[in-house]
Amino acid sequence: MKAYQIEDFGLENLRIADRPMPESGPHQVLIKMQAWSLNYRDLLTVKGLYNPRLKRPQIPFSDGAGEVIEVGPEVRSVKPGDRVTNTFFEHWISGAATDETAQTALGAGRDGVLAEYVAVHEDGVIPMPGHLTYAEAATLPCAALTAWNALVVEGKIKAGDTILTLGTGGVSIFALQFAQMHGARVVITSGSDEKLEKARRLGAAHTINYKETPDWGKQVRKFADGRGVDLVVEVGGSGTFNQSVAALRRGGMLSLIGVLAAGGEANILAVLMNGIRVQGIFVGSREMFAAMNTAIEMNNLHPVVDRIFSFDNVKAAFEYMEAGSHFGKICIRI
Amino acid sequence: MKAYQIEDFGLENLRIADRPMPESGPHQVLIKMQAWSLNYRDLLTVKGLYNPRLKRPQIPFSDGAGEVIEVGPEVRSVKPGDRVTNTFFEHWISGAATDETAQTALGAGRDGVLAEYVAVHEDGVIPMPGHLTYAEAATLPCAALTAWNALVVEGKIKAGDTILTLGTGGVSIFALQFAQMHGARVVITSGSDEKLEKARRLGAAHTINYKETPDWGKQVRKFADGRGVDLVVEVGGSGTFNQSVAALRRGGMLSLIGVLAAGGEANILAVLMNGIRVQGIFVGSREMFAAMNTAIEMNNLHPVVDRIFSFDNVKAAFEYMEAGSHFGKICIRI
Amino acid sequence: MKAYQIEDFGLENLRIADRPMPESGPHQVLIKMQAWSLNYRDLLTVKGLYNPRLKRPQIPFSDGAGEVIEVGPEVRSVKPGDRVTNTFFEHWISGAATDETAQTALGAGRDGVLAEYVAVHEDGVIPMPGHLTYAEAATLPCAALTAWNALVVEGKIKAGDTILTLGTGGVSIFALQFAQMHGARVVITSGSDEKLEKARRLGAAHTINYKETPDWGKQVRKFADGRGVDLVVEVGGSGTFNQSVAALRRGGMLSLIGVLAAGGEANILAVLMNGIRVQGIFVGSREMFAAMNTAIEMNNLHPVVDRIFSFDNVKAAFEYMEAGSHFGKICIRI
Amino acid sequence: MKAYQIEDFGLENLRIADRPMPESGPHQVLIKMQAWSLNYRDLLTVKGLYNPRLKRPQIPFSDGAGEVIEVGPEVRSVKPGDRVTNTFFEHWISGAATDETAQTALGAGRDGVLAEYVAVHEDGVIPMPGHLTYAEAATLPCAALTAWNALVVEGKIKAGDTILTLGTGGVSIFALQFAQMHGARVVITSGSDEKLEKARRLGAAHTINYKETPDWGKQVRKFADGRGVDLVVEVGGSGTFNQSVAALRRGGMLSLIGVLAAGGEANILAVLMNGIRVQGIFVGSREMFAAMNTAIEMNNLHPVVDRIFSFDNVKAAFEYMEAGSHFGKICIRI
């Protein structure tokens, strides 16, 4: 079967290879993959920036969807013919993450899912919401679940809350959708007026072009009744942290998300004086995923897919991501 | 000024009297009342069934809305001209209820608000959502806040949840609205197909006529993916408790609400074996009220007012409530 | 190997039989059992009162401890030589209980552990605290974990809290110990002054003989600063529920525990008016068990073992339990 | 009456002045002060480092204890003769902190309590635990409540947890005591072996001299079963944050406390990847204070008072604090 491999670091060394068909053990599920989605983590991984000691060759990608074609004799939760996604962590079922479950993340340390066929333990497979296409479902394992964990599980979002999302990448747009699903109001930032207009059409209450308003923290606070927002989905690069803190209300929560968030000197004093909670978010468990899927299906939510590339064009997809002009998720379809 | 008084128990002894204009102390707010809403508790109080030792004469009603016309020199949170509602408890500001704050409930032990003018401590006054009429706002202090406390504060409702509400009274219809505001799904019961049809139009996903399906617990469970609902808003009379328990999922929550809920032998064993939480709900704090008002305004929610009676017709309003054919709230307007 | 079997209901039909040595599958652990503890559920099961449709013959008991003598090739968490207990549910690892995990309770529907050798999935095995004897460790799976779940997981007990435990059975005495471990104060009831004296020696702050003070709810409230206790561990028979509610503070929690708790007409109105939470507790997950074991070891806690019977004397142990004169747990030792 | 005043910044400009006796309004309580405690915030305030725009002259100090000698006609909660402490915030009663309540902190923006007589609103007065001296009680308003909020309210500490405290100042030693009160285990760091020995005598399970082990994060993790601690009480200067993060378990909590905590480049990536919660803690509410006092009294806890200076020697007390050789709290006694 065909699979992409990071043969060496650099986009030019990501190549389609012939791999033996995976054999599935007694607890495993064999999936004929149909679609995938890209995360910024994948780009960093391919370039050697996520884990410089990554063993190569390695199959990248944490997110995919497909059809179950075979299950081991011990598998109980899915059957051939089921439309499924894999989970980001193969073995984080429920409860608190542990060092062991955290090591079962796919696509950056162990082979990921960018292959025609994938065999994973049934712990790592979950039926997809019935109304979604494979490409839409492929956006869920990392970006959607991260936003869900930040807003719903840790953030305990409720109607009447105001949240701030930075930019218009996958996590941010899911946060926009999930917040509205809960009767909350969204302020969104971007450097592009065109993207902000799209965000408004998706329901954002207030938008800020951070290029025009570099000191946007104060402006966000004004939008939030002068009191500050309840929650920030912080996916930004250096420099955004302190603006995010300035945007928050006393006792508010800043969700630290995504590998972009590092860098800069954090205004720890403001965190302290305002009783702010900075919560690291690293995707989520299968139990959270199941709850999210129920919500997605019940509310007929469709993920925002910016563009779909073919399996042969993964490099072009990465280049498109790097250009940064997307809004929502970038997908691959076989 | 004119005020209704319970001179003795019985609807026939509820009379309009002349009362001196209330004087407002340094922390008090004088409100020219514009509208009120009825709660079942008021009917029981007037009839002597809520508190048989109630001192008479006493002004009934816990819920009203009006315009601030005067404030004491120490008042900071409102000013003349503000449109406000009173709170159910004059002094439950935030945190846990205490025996002291619980004793400050209006209209059943201390004079209530069914008068032309009312003076209350500023702790007991809250600005009403700007888009509501006085009659709509007058529905909030007891029924809406009870539903909010049950679903949002204690129930931590989230998108994808399924809740069950019993009947179509004030609390149940607010629960229907608040659940949907959070992306949750609602199953509702009633003895009237006409009311169930109204509930469907308001967004209920599933309806059950309990007269046709006396054993409705099982049926509700089926509607909730065979697993059971996450939360029941239990306002029913005797006999509903065990059906509600049967409708709940393992680990689900049954909110005990309203003075109707007593009676019958409870299936305590099922509560135990299924890890169910039975949570008594007694209205809520001012802090919860403020959060609810923000949610109501943000989501442009309008309370469902079934019928508005004039100030002179409070007895007719009580009789209408007693007949039980209302859907949502019954109000009084000056 | 030898194993007890419920051949038919009734203590007289509980007999030692010869059973084939259990074979352990790839994920299973074979334990040479060393000790067991009795729960009231076991007595009811043997008599046919817990589950009248129980398939027979069936091996009873949910609680045991022993030494691992063999593990399947897939087992990762334990190895031969480890001293372990089994868990009450073979497959409730973490997160919320589900209908599926709830059906994996041992000893009342599926074979339990009252046998010389037991094979269970590694999910259902947990290393015992190092400082305990096998008999002490055998008390943990049901009674200790139930008390831990009630007080720590659901009850979020903290220093300064006051709790009430009813009687001096296994769960109640663990509750007494765990409460003190958290800096909380304990009121305990019993019908025996001798047992109350023992409880005082174990650290109970206040004791009540319910035979002398049938209306003990009020008395407990007085002990709790006139305000009421924060939590009741309700394991009593009919009639205790309403006294427990009377003993609770506004917003307090009543943990419904054990198969004794059914019966009587519950004062639902008091639950409602005082915002009380009635929480069904049905043992707990493996994740909770691990946390409890850490606490037990860190605090050098020893379970209170009333009496140890030999493997040949299980019937005598049941009769001793039925007589009700024990204080803490009754154990069996090979 | 005599009161200390910051006449200008610098310890040399802190002088005793004659101030008019405070008049107490209808809701106020007049306290004859008996003892005070120093916090590092006071030192910074006096030197102009806490708030460079502080209005002068101003009375410093947030923490004191004394006897009520007069109450306004509206005061309900205390009476003359009561032994009380003031609260850090005059008006944060319960619930979430707001911008308004946060501005009522004493001693750095509004006059504090380092005076012979102090009049505060009854919201800002709380009876002291009966078994404490005035000096002991004077340690509670800031340091003790901060530790309580971090461990108990936000940290939800439970038996079996392991916590890390940095250094041996007031907050850290209270954290040590409160953790043990809950059956938790404490690792403590200091630059002085003598202080570490004192900490061991107070019950610390593990101690680390950070001068000998600059990379102490890893060492702490080892002490915590190789898994990492559940909670860090982070009061350190620059450089400690990243070691604290390294010491934490996945999903652990770092409590940001005290004005020392600023500075240095934070390892935000580790916070993210390990799902860590960084929680700003800014003292606490009156409701928390009351719960803490109940716990202190129930467990007969005595605050660790390092040394008591006389009212005339406040400068010497500040110099002693600056020297950094204290262990626990420094107090003033009239």
Side-chain angles (χ1 to χ4, degrees):
Chain A
M1 66 149 192
K2 288 195 283 185
Y4 273 91
Q5 286 188 165
I6 302 169
E7 300 188 344
D8 208 340
F9 292 137
L11 212 42
E12 66 282 9
N13 297 312
L14 177 68
R15 296 201 187 88
I16 297 183
D18 248 314
R19 286 266 197 141
M21 191 70 178
E23 278 175 61
S24 61
H27 290 277
Q28 279 185 307
V29 174
L30 184 66
I31 310 171
K32 182 169 171 20
M33 301 300 287
Q34 300 288 343
W36 301 260
S37 81
L38 279 74
N39 292 292
Y40 202 76
R41 169 181 180 266
D42 301 320
L43 182 59
L44 293 176
T45 301
V46 166
K47 293 169 120 182
L49 301 172
Y50 188 80
N51 177 1
R53 288 183 301 273
L54 192 87
K55 267 214 291 198
R56 286 143 281 168
Q58 184 162 125
I59 302 176
F61 274 34
S62 60
D63 291 21
E67 188 188 336
V68 174
I69 56 169
E70 205 180 294
V71 301
E74 303 293 333
V75 170
R76 295 285 169 272
S77 53
V78 291
K79 57 179 193 314
D82 284 357
R83 303 166 77 228
V84 300
T85 57
N86 65 285
T87 57
F88 184 89
F89 297 105
E90 191 173 357
H91 290 295
W92 183 11
I93 299 176
S94 62
T98 64
D99 292 344
E100 291 72 35
T101 56
Q103 278 160 16
T104 67
L106 301 178
R110 41 167 38 196
D111 274 342
V113 298
L114 190 51
E116 288 181 306
Y117 296 89
V118 168
V120 282
H121 191 281
E122 70 170 318
D123 289 353
V125 176
I126 195 162
M128 51 184 264
H131 67 299
L132 299 189
T133 64
Y134 281 116
E136 288 172 329
T139 66
L140 302 177
C142 181
L145 189 51
T146 297
W148 180 266
N149 189 354
L151 267 66
V152 183
V153 181
E154 293 290 348
K156 293 183 180 22
I157 194 170
K158 64 178 192 303
D161 283 352
T162 302
I163 74 151
L164 166 68
T165 67
L166 306 188
T168 58
V171 174
S172 299
I173 298 303
F174 274 117
L176 169 65
Q177 293 179 301
F178 289 146
Q180 292 183 89
M181 193 190 269
H182 287 85
R185 180 172 58 169
V186 180
V187 184
I188 198 163
T189 65
S190 173
S192 149
D193 286 339
E194 192 193 328
K195 288 181 180 178
L196 290 175
E197 174 53 30
K198 277 190 197 173
R200 265 192 299 276
R201 268 182 271 137
L202 269 175
H206 301 284
T207 58
I208 296 182
N209 188 319
Y210 60 75
K211 289 182 182 159
E212 292 164 15
T213 314
D215 192 25
W216 45 264
K218 276 183 207 166
Q219 181 59 39
V220 173
R221 178 179 290 270
K222 273 183 215 157
F223 285 146
D225 311 316
R227 202 183 57 124
V229 300
D230 298 284
L231 189 147
V232 180
V233 178
E234 168 62 77
V235 294
S238 20
T240 60
F241 184 90
N242 291 347
Q243 290 298 321
S244 292
V245 167
L248 273 167
R249 71 161 167 82
R250 195 169 288 279
M253 171 171 155
L254 187 151
S255 311
L256 266 188
I257 289 171
V259 282
L260 286 171
E265 187 158 333
N267 184 354
I268 293 290
L269 192 62
V271 170
L272 185 166
M273 298 291 287
N274 293 318
I276 282 171
R277 172 183 177 191
V278 177
Q279 178 66 57
I281 300 284
F282 194 28
V283 196
S285 70
R286 195 182 190 283
E287 193 178 62
M288 296 178 203
F289 202 156
M292 177 183 75
N293 279 353
T294 301
I296 287 174
E297 193 152 3
M298 193 180 284
N299 289 277
N300 197 32
L301 179 143
H302 284 274
V304 174
V305 176
D306 177 280
R307 200 157 145 186
I308 301 178
F309 292 81
S310 72
F311 186 76
D312 294 334
N313 274 318
V314 169
K315 275 182 230 181
F318 271 125
E319 282 156 5
Y320 182 65
M321 169 173 265
E322 221 168 357
S325 55
H326 58 288
F327 182 98
K329 294 289 293 178
I330 303 168
C331 292
I332 309 293
R333 188 75 175 82
I334 211 134
Chain B
M1 68 152 191
K2 286 194 285 183
Y4 273 90
Q5 286 189 166
I6 301 169
E7 301 189 344
D8 207 341
F9 292 138
L11 212 43
E12 66 281 9
N13 297 312
L14 177 69
R15 297 202 185 88
I16 297 184
D18 248 314
R19 285 265 196 141
M21 191 71 179
E23 278 174 61
S24 61
H27 289 277
Q28 279 186 306
V29 175
L30 184 65
I31 310 171
K32 183 168 170 21
M33 302 300 288
Q34 300 288 344
W36 301 261
S37 81
L38 279 75
N39 292 292
Y40 202 76
R41 169 183 181 263
D42 301 320
L43 182 59
L44 293 176
T45 301
V46 167
K47 291 169 122 182
L49 301 172
Y50 188 79
N51 178 1
R53 287 182 301 272
L54 192 87
K55 267 214 291 197
R56 285 142 283 168
Q58 184 162 125
I59 302 176
F61 274 35
S62 60
D63 292 21
E67 187 188 337
V68 174
I69 56 169
E70 205 181 293
V71 300
E74 303 293 332
V75 170
R76 296 286 168 272
S77 53
V78 290
K79 56 180 194 312
D82 285 358
R83 301 165 79 228
V84 299
T85 57
N86 64 285
T87 57
F88 184 89
F89 297 105
E90 191 173 358
H91 290 295
W92 184 10
I93 299 177
S94 62
T98 63
D99 292 344
E100 290 72 35
T101 55
Q103 278 160 17
T104 67
L106 301 179
R110 42 168 35 198
D111 274 341
V113 299
L114 190 51
E116 287 181 304
Y117 295 89
V118 168
V120 282
H121 191 281
E122 71 170 318
D123 289 354
V125 176
I126 195 162
M128 50 184 264
H131 67 299
L132 298 188
T133 65
Y134 281 116
E136 288 172 330
T139 66
L140 303 178
C142 181
L145 188 52
T146 297
W148 179 266
N149 189 354
L151 266 66
V152 183
V153 180
E154 293 290 348
K156 293 182 179 22
I157 194 168
K158 64 178 192 303
D161 283 352
T162 302
I163 75 151
L164 167 67
T165 68
L166 306 188
T168 58
V171 175
S172 300
I173 299 303
F174 275 117
L176 169 64
Q177 293 178 300
F178 290 147
Q180 292 183 90
M181 193 190 268
H182 287 86
R185 179 172 59 169
V186 180
V187 184
I188 197 163
T189 65
S190 173
S192 149
D193 286 338
E194 194 193 327
K195 288 181 180 176
L196 291 175
E197 175 53 30
K198 278 191 196 171
R200 265 192 300 276
R201 267 181 271 137
L202 269 176
H206 300 286
T207 58
I208 296 183
N209 188 318
Y210 60 76
K211 288 181 182 160
E212 293 163 14
T213 314
D215 192 26
W216 45 264
K218 277 184 206 166
Q219 182 58 40
V220 173
R221 179 179 290 270
K222 273 183 214 158
F223 285 147
D225 310 317
R227 202 183 59 122
V229 300
D230 298 284
L231 189 147
V232 180
V233 178
E234 168 62 76
V235 294
S238 20
T240 61
F241 184 90
N242 291 347
Q243 291 298 321
S244 292
V245 168
L248 274 167
R249 71 161 166 83
R250 196 170 289 279
M253 171 171 154
L254 187 151
S255 311
L256 264 188
I257 290 172
V259 281
L260 286 171
E265 187 158 334
N267 185 354
I268 293 291
L269 192 62
V271 170
L272 185 166
M273 297 291 287
N274 294 317
I276 282 171
R277 171 183 179 192
V278 177
Q279 177 66 56
I281 299 284
F282 194 27
V283 196
S285 70
R286 195 182 189 285
E287 193 178 61
M288 297 179 203
F289 203 156
M292 177 183 76
N293 279 353
T294 302
I296 287 174
E297 194 152 3
M298 192 180 283
N299 289 277
N300 197 32
L301 180 143
H302 285 274
V304 174
V305 176
D306 178 280
R307 200 156 145 187
I308 301 179
F309 292 80
S310 71
F311 186 75
D312 294 334
N313 274 318
V314 169
K315 276 181 230 183
F318 271 126
E319 281 157 7
Y320 182 65
M321 169 172 266
E322 219 167 359
S325 54
H326 58 289
F327 182 98
K329 293 289 292 179
I330 303 168
C331 293
I332 310 293
R333 188 77 174 81
I334 211 136
Chain C
M1 67 151 191
K2 287 195 283 184
Y4 273 89
Q5 285 189 164
I6 301 168
E7 299 188 346
D8 208 341
F9 292 136
L11 213 42
E12 66 281 9
N13 297 312
L14 178 68
R15 297 201 187 88
I16 297 184
D18 249 314
R19 285 267 196 140
M21 190 71 177
E23 281 175 57
S24 62
H27 290 277
Q28 280 185 308
V29 175
L30 184 65
I31 309 172
K32 182 167 171 22
M33 301 301 288
Q34 301 288 344
W36 301 262
S37 81
L38 278 75
N39 291 293
Y40 202 75
R41 169 183 181 263
D42 301 320
L43 181 59
L44 293 176
T45 301
V46 166
K47 292 168 121 183
L49 301 172
Y50 188 78
N51 177 2
R53 286 183 302 273
L54 192 87
K55 268 213 290 196
R56 285 142 284 168
Q58 184 162 126
I59 301 176
F61 273 35
S62 59
D63 291 21
E67 187 188 337
V68 175
I69 55 169
E70 202 181 295
V71 301
E74 304 292 331
V75 170
R76 297 286 169 271
S77 51
V78 290
K79 57 181 193 310
D82 285 357
R83 301 166 79 229
V84 299
T85 57
N86 65 284
T87 57
F88 184 88
F89 296 106
E90 192 173 357
H91 291 294
W92 183 10
I93 299 175
S94 62
T98 64
D99 292 343
E100 291 72 34
T101 55
Q103 278 160 16
T104 67
L106 300 179
R110 41 169 35 198
D111 274 342
V113 299
L114 190 50
E116 288 181 305
Y117 296 89
V118 168
V120 281
H121 192 280
E122 71 170 317
D123 289 353
V125 176
I126 193 161
M128 50 184 264
H131 67 301
L132 299 189
T133 63
Y134 281 117
E136 287 172 330
T139 66
L140 303 177
C142 181
L145 189 51
T146 297
W148 179 267
N149 188 354
L151 267 66
V152 183
V153 181
E154 293 291 347
K156 294 179 179 23
I157 195 168
K158 64 178 192 302
D161 284 351
T162 302
I163 75 149
L164 166 67
T165 67
L166 306 188
T168 57
V171 174
S172 300
I173 299 303
F174 276 118
L176 169 64
Q177 293 178 300
F178 290 147
Q180 292 182 89
M181 192 190 270
H182 288 86
R185 179 172 59 170
V186 179
V187 184
I188 197 163
T189 65
S190 173
S192 149
D193 286 338
E194 193 194 326
K195 289 182 181 176
L196 292 174
E197 175 53 31
K198 278 191 196 172
R200 265 192 300 274
R201 266 181 273 138
L202 269 175
H206 300 285
T207 58
I208 297 183
N209 188 318
Y210 60 76
K211 287 180 183 159
E212 293 163 15
T213 314
D215 192 26
W216 45 264
K218 276 184 207 166
Q219 182 57 41
V220 173
R221 177 179 292 271
K222 273 182 216 157
F223 285 146
D225 311 316
R227 201 184 58 126
V229 300
D230 298 284
L231 189 147
V232 180
V233 177
E234 169 62 78
V235 295
S238 18
T240 60
F241 185 91
N242 291 347
Q243 291 297 323
S244 292
V245 167
L248 274 167
R249 72 161 165 81
R250 198 169 288 279
M253 173 171 152
L254 187 151
S255 309
L256 265 188
I257 290 172
V259 281
L260 285 171
E265 186 158 334
N267 184 354
I268 293 289
L269 191 62
V271 171
L272 185 167
M273 298 291 287
N274 294 318
I276 283 171
R277 172 182 178 192
V278 177
Q279 178 66 56
I281 299 284
F282 194 27
V283 198
S285 70
R286 194 181 191 286
E287 193 178 61
M288 297 177 204
F289 203 156
M292 178 182 75
N293 279 353
T294 302
I296 286 174
E297 195 152 3
M298 190 178 285
N299 289 277
N300 196 32
L301 180 143
H302 285 275
V304 175
V305 176
D306 178 281
R307 199 156 147 187
I308 302 179
F309 291 82
S310 72
F311 186 75
D312 294 334
N313 274 319
V314 170
K315 274 181 231 183
F318 271 126
E319 282 157 5
Y320 182 65
M321 169 172 266
E322 220 168 357
S325 54
H326 57 290
F327 182 98
K329 294 289 293 179
I330 303 166
C331 292
I332 309 293
R333 188 75 174 81
I334 212 135
Chain D
M1 66 152 192
K2 288 195 283 184
Y4 273 90
Q5 285 190 166
I6 301 168
E7 299 188 346
D8 208 342
F9 291 137
L11 212 43
E12 65 282 10
N13 297 311
L14 178 68
R15 297 200 187 90
I16 296 184
D18 247 313
R19 285 267 196 141
M21 190 71 177
E23 280 174 58
S24 63
H27 290 277
Q28 279 185 307
V29 175
L30 184 65
I31 309 172
K32 182 168 171 23
M33 302 300 288
Q34 301 287 345
W36 300 261
S37 82
L38 277 75
N39 291 293
Y40 201 76
R41 169 183 181 264
D42 300 320
L43 181 59
L44 294 176
T45 300
V46 166
K47 292 169 121 183
L49 300 173
Y50 188 78
N51 177 2
R53 286 184 302 273
L54 192 87
K55 267 213 293 197
R56 285 143 284 168
Q58 184 163 125
I59 302 176
F61 273 35
S62 59
D63 291 21
E67 187 189 337
V68 174
I69 55 168
E70 202 181 295
V71 301
E74 304 292 331
V75 170
R76 296 285 169 273
S77 52
V78 290
K79 56 181 193 311
D82 284 358
R83 301 166 79 230
V84 299
T85 57
N86 65 285
T87 57
F88 184 89
F89 296 105
E90 191 173 357
H91 290 294
W92 183 11
I93 300 176
S94 62
T98 64
D99 292 344
E100 290 73 34
T101 55
Q103 279 160 16
T104 67
L106 300 179
R110 41 167 40 196
D111 274 342
V113 298
L114 190 50
E116 288 181 304
Y117 295 89
V118 168
V120 282
H121 191 281
E122 70 170 318
D123 289 353
V125 176
I126 194 161
M128 50 183 266
H131 67 300
L132 298 189
T133 64
Y134 281 117
E136 287 172 330
T139 66
L140 303 177
C142 181
L145 189 51
T146 297
W148 179 266
N149 188 355
L151 266 66
V152 183
V153 181
E154 293 291 347
K156 292 180 181 24
I157 195 169
K158 64 177 192 302
D161 284 352
T162 302
I163 75 150
L164 166 68
T165 67
L166 305 188
T168 58
V171 174
S172 300
I173 298 303
F174 275 117
L176 169 64
Q177 293 178 300
F178 290 146
Q180 291 183 91
M181 193 189 271
H182 288 86
R185 180 172 57 170
V186 179
V187 184
I188 198 163
T189 65
S190 173
S192 149
D193 285 339
E194 192 194 328
K195 288 182 181 177
L196 291 175
E197 175 54 30
K198 278 190 196 171
R200 264 193 300 275
R201 267 182 273 137
L202 270 175
H206 301 285
T207 59
I208 297 183
N209 188 319
Y210 60 76
K211 288 182 181 157
E212 293 163 14
T213 315
D215 192 27
W216 44 265
K218 276 183 207 165
Q219 182 58 39
V220 174
R221 178 181 291 271
K222 272 182 216 157
F223 284 146
D225 311 316
R227 202 183 56 123
V229 299
D230 299 284
L231 189 147
V232 180
V233 177
E234 168 62 77
V235 294
S238 19
T240 60
F241 184 90
N242 292 347
Q243 291 298 322
S244 292
V245 167
L248 273 167
R249 72 161 166 81
R250 196 169 288 279
M253 173 171 153
L254 186 151
S255 309
L256 265 188
I257 290 172
V259 282
L260 286 171
E265 187 158 333
N267 184 354
I268 293 290
L269 192 62
V271 171
L272 184 167
M273 298 291 286
N274 293 319
I276 282 171
R277 172 183 176 191
V278 177
Q279 178 66 56
I281 300 284
F282 193 28
V283 197
S285 70
R286 193 181 191 285
E287 193 179 61
M288 297 178 202
F289 202 156
M292 178 183 75
N293 278 353
T294 302
I296 286 174
E297 193 151 5
M298 191 179 286
N299 289 276
N300 196 32
L301 180 143
H302 285 275
V304 175
V305 176
D306 178 281
R307 199 156 145 187
I308 301 179
F309 292 81
S310 71
F311 186 75
D312 294 334
N313 274 318
V314 169
K315 274 181 230 183
F318 271 126
E319 281 156 5
Y320 183 65
M321 170 173 265
E322 220 168 358
S325 54
H326 57 290
F327 182 95
K329 294 289 292 179
I330 304 167
C331 292
I332 309 293
R333 187 76 173 82
I334 211 136

